[in-house]
Amino acid sequence: GFSSRELIMSQADDLAFYAEIKPDLIEKGLEGMFVLIKDAALVDVYPSYKDAYDAAIAQFGQAQVTIKKVELQEPVEII
C-alpha cells in the first residue's frame, strides 16, 4: 500500500495542478462545479461533489483522488 507521505505528496501534486488550471476553469464558466483530479491530471468536471465522488469510486475504486470545488475565492480555513 501507500505510505501516508505518498498520499500527501500525490494530493499536493493534485492541488498544485488544480491551482494551474483554475483560471481556465473559471474562464470557461465552471465556477461552482466540482473537478475530479487524479495523478495531477483532470479526469472530468461534475455538477456536485456526490457526482464527482461516485465517478471516482466507479473509475478508481479506493485510489487516491482529489475533488475540488471550483471557487474564485478559496475558502480560508480558520485554525
Side-chain angles (χ1 to χ4, degrees), residues 7 18 31 38 59:
L7 287 177
Y18 168 75
E31 195 171 353
K38 180 166 178 13
Q59 290 184 59

Side-chain angles (χ1 to χ4, degrees), residues 23-41:
D24 288 341
L25 296 170
I26 301 232
E27 202 173 285
K28 288 179 178 148
L30 297 174
E31 195 171 353
M33 301 285 276
F34 290 79
V35 291
L36 175 57
I37 299 169
K38 180 166 178 13
D39 301 330

